[in-house]
Structures are given as C-alpha cells and as structure tokens.
Amino acid sequence: MLVILALAAYLSLWPVPIHAVNWQAPVAPGYVGVHAPNSKLTGRHHILLQGEQGPEHIVFGPDGKLYTAVASGKILRMDADGGAQEVFATTGGRSLGLAFDAQGNLIAADAVKGLLSIAPDGKVNLLSNSVDGHAIRFTNAVVVASTGKIYFTESSTRFTAADWGSTLAAATLDVMEQSATGRVLEYDPATQATRIVAYGLSLANGIALSADEQTLLMAESGRYRVWKIAAQAAQLDVAQPSEQASVLLDNLPGYPDNLMRGLDGKLWLGLAGQRNELDAMDQKPFLRQMMLRIPQALWPLPKPYGHVMAFTEDGQIVADLQDPSGTSPLTTGITETRTCLYLQAADGKSLDWLER
C-alpha cells in the first residue's frame, strides 16, 4: 500500500516543466480522400553524409550547390548528386531553416543561436536573437522577401533546445503544454530591427511567401494547420478574428513542418509524424502533465510515417506522397528540382531523394 501511495503521489505531484492548458482538438480525419494511403515516398535513393545526420532543411545556392543543416550544428555543401561534400559553416547550434538573400548570404534560422547570416566564405554573423527586449528562444524557419526583409518563426517562447537537449524534446513539451506562444517575426536588414508580425501559435514552424509577397504561409504544428497571415501585420493575435489572418489548411492528418516553395506555383509541406494520443487529452491537461512523470521513452511521440504533400496558394492539394512502412525518417519537407525531390528529415541518417 505504501508503494502504491508513493507511486500515486509521484504521478500526481512531482514537478514537471509544462503548465498544460485546455484546447479543442479537431477530430482526426484519418488517411482518406486526397490523403488516402499510398507508397509514393518509397524507393528513395540515399546520399550518405559522412556520419552526419538530420538534413532538416535543404536549399540550393546561387552557386548551384546543395546546402543542408545537420544535427551537429554544421551546414554541409555538396553537388546535387551528393559529391564534393564539405562543411560550409558551423554555427554551434542547430539550424532548422535556410534561405539565401540577394547578396548570396545564407540566412539560417538556428534554434539555439537565433537568426544568422552566413557569408559566402562561411563566416557566421548574428542578425537577431531578441525582440522587444526579450530573447528569441526557438528560431525555426525562414524566408527572404525580394525587399530584403526576412520573415522567420519562433516556435515557442517557453521551451528551448538548449534547455531540453534537442529541438524534438522542446517541440514535444510545447505541443503537450498547448500554451500557444509561437510567433512570426520580421527582421529588416536596412534598420537591423526585429518586430512581431503575429503571435498565439502552437509550435510555429515552416514559413513561405505568396507569389506576390503580400502574404505569409505558416505551418502551425501543434494545431495541425497552415495559416495565411498578412506580411504587413503587426502584433497580430491569431486567436482573435482578423481580416489579416485565416486558416488555409485545417485538421491535417499529421504535424505540419517545413514549407518550401516548389515549381509551377506549388508549395511543399512535410508532415512530421502521425497524430497520436495527445488529441484525446485536449481537455485533460492533468493527464498531459502526468505523462511527463514517466520515462521519456514512453512519451506520446508522433508515430513514424513518411508523408509530404503539395498545395497551391488557394489551398488545393495537388500531390500527396507517403511511406506507411514506419521506416521513413521524421519527414520535415521537400526541396523540388526539375529532376529530383529531395527529402528533408529531422533525424535521417542520409539525405534521400526521389527521381521525378
């Protein structure tokens, strides 16, 4: 009886890092309609990364080379076929999003260091790690406008990779808490100022610009949706009705991650794992807190399931590729060329690609 009481006290009272709140999870649609199960993401080719892993984001530079950020904090550069691999730069953090500016600098959204600019010679410069006098804690994705302005996401103001050992651990805590502290930020190189575009997002993630650059498309991982947010918005609370923000894609079957502009007007979105038991605990914050009192190996992490999709700016889904085998790495997105689809993955041990 004493052992049972001690266990009950531990599961009920032991301090945990989250202060879980109620939220309303939509009923999961399952894999039906345009998301009907398929195996179009199987049969991938592999580019080994010399012992590195986690090609979270992939971009091509003005030099025609492929650039990818890996878990060690390095940014690798290579030919399109994986040849001539080299370390382009080391940030000392974990870059999650990459984009090139008009001057040929690689802009990196580093979860640990903040918003970085990496010169063509590999020199790393800090652009921004604070806004309104407060530290930016979990930089995630980035896109550069033709004006030079840089838009990026801060996944959470509550949890950081530096504090919790990895971006996955920090993201898991944020989704379990559901306090929705994620933000969209803008950095203006002309003034070196950072401002808040929008806030109130549950694990703000991938970001892209509309063709006319008036609208930001943003993946909200913790609520399974993609937003359209006016680029000129300021201090916009997305929880409040506004003409400057609307949901474009809602109730997705997995956790939306990176957004990447593809060819022919489409946008690619990665779904980082299937939805899970957390939906059933949306109105039970106590249970979510209790989950953190058991070993981390038993946390309700997304089930492995390779899944990427493409859609147009009006929300029409035009491609859906899946790998239901459970062997796919944690899919975060797609980088598209005329001949290949490169698979972005948070934990992949190789850089995978498919022939078009």
Side-chain angles (χ1 to χ4, degrees):
M1 181 63 70
L2 288 175
V3 171
I4 293 173
L5 289 174
L7 179 60
Y10 170 76
L11 291 175
S12 303
L13 302 174
W14 192 262
V16 295
I18 70 171
H19 303 290
V21 299
N22 284 334
W23 73 289
Q24 185 65 56
V27 177
Y31 290 81
V32 297
V34 293
H35 300 303
N38 65 70
S39 299
K40 296 178 182 178
L41 205 57
T42 58
R44 302 184 301 273
H45 303 277
H46 308 287
I47 297 173
L48 298 180
L49 298 174
Q50 300 177 357
E52 301 290 345
Q53 64 179 26
E56 163 77 23
H57 204 261
I58 300 165
V59 294
F60 278 86
D63 56 2
K65 296 277 190 176
L66 183 156
Y67 292 75
T68 186
V70 290
S72 66
K74 297 174 184 175
I75 296 175
L76 307 181
R77 176 169 60 188
M78 66 192 77
D79 294 336
D81 63 1
Q85 285 188 35
E86 61 181 337
V87 176
F88 168 64
T90 301
T91 68
R94 175 42 162 146
S95 294
L96 299 177
L98 303 173
F100 278 92
D101 68 12
Q103 291 71 46
N105 300 305
L106 179 60
I107 308 302
D110 192 290
V112 178
K113 299 296 184 178
L115 187 68
L116 308 175
S117 176
I118 307 173
D121 63 1
K123 182 181 178 182
V124 179
N125 300 289
L126 176 65
L127 295 180
S128 178
N129 63 359
S130 66
V131 59
D132 291 348
H134 298 283
I136 297 170
R137 295 172 57 79
F138 191 161
T139 316
N140 194 315
V142 64
V143 66
V144 181
S146 61
T147 61
K149 291 182 178 180
I150 300 169
Y151 298 93
F152 61 108
T153 56
E154 180 185 19
S155 289
S156 172
T157 64
R158 292 270 297 126
F159 305 102
T160 72
D163 288 342
W164 298 103
S166 71
T167 55
L168 179 59
T172 300
L173 291 171
D174 192 81
V175 171
M176 293 181 76
E177 182 173 86
Q178 284 294 335
S179 55
T181 64
R183 303 188 288 191
V184 177
L185 307 174
E186 177 199 272
Y187 175 78
D188 187 348
T191 61
Q192 299 184 351
T194 303
R195 71 178 185 89
I196 299 170
V197 176
Y199 65 95
L201 297 152
S202 178
L203 198 69
N205 208 320
I207 193 166
L209 277 162
S210 61
D212 63 7
E213 299 194 348
Q214 299 303 301
T215 303
L216 296 165
L217 298 106
M218 200 282 308
E220 185 183 18
S221 296
R223 302 280 171 92
Y224 321 122
R225 56 193 179 187
V226 174
W227 285 87
K228 295 179 73 173
I229 299 172
Q232 295 305 312
Q235 296 283 352
L236 179 68
D237 181 358
V238 298
Q240 304 300 320
S242 170
E243 294 182 355
Q244 292 186 300
S246 61
V247 175
L248 178 65
L249 298 174
D250 201 6
N251 202 17
L252 293 165
Y255 291 87
D257 206 296
N258 290 342
L259 274 168
M260 193 79 174
R261 175 65 67 174
L263 303 177
D264 306 318
K266 72 170 79 71
L267 294 115
W268 284 98
L269 173 68
L271 295 173
Q274 293 179 316
R275 290 165 62 169
N276 54 20
E277 297 85 354
L278 286 179
D279 280 6
M281 293 187 278
D282 58 347
Q283 301 294 308
K284 302 178 179 67
F286 174 76
L287 284 182
R288 279 181 273 140
Q289 293 184 181
M290 192 169 70
M291 287 293 299
L292 296 184
R293 298 184 177 104
I294 64 177
Q296 189 169 341
L298 300 178
W299 288 9
L301 296 176
K303 296 178 177 65
Y305 193 93
H307 195 175
V308 294
M309 55 181 279
F311 62 94
T312 56
E313 288 187 19
D314 61 1
Q316 179 183 357
I317 297 172
V318 295
D320 188 88
L321 288 67
Q322 301 176 32
D323 177 8
S325 68
T327 62
S328 181
L330 191 65
T331 312
T332 53
I334 284 285
T335 300
E336 181 181 23
T337 71
R338 290 293 176 191
T339 58
C340 299
L341 295 176
Y342 292 89
L343 181 67
Q344 302 169 9
D347 61 354
K349 294 179 173 57
S350 60
L351 194 161
D352 297 349
W353 60 276
L354 291 169
E355 294 183 47
R356 296 293 305 274

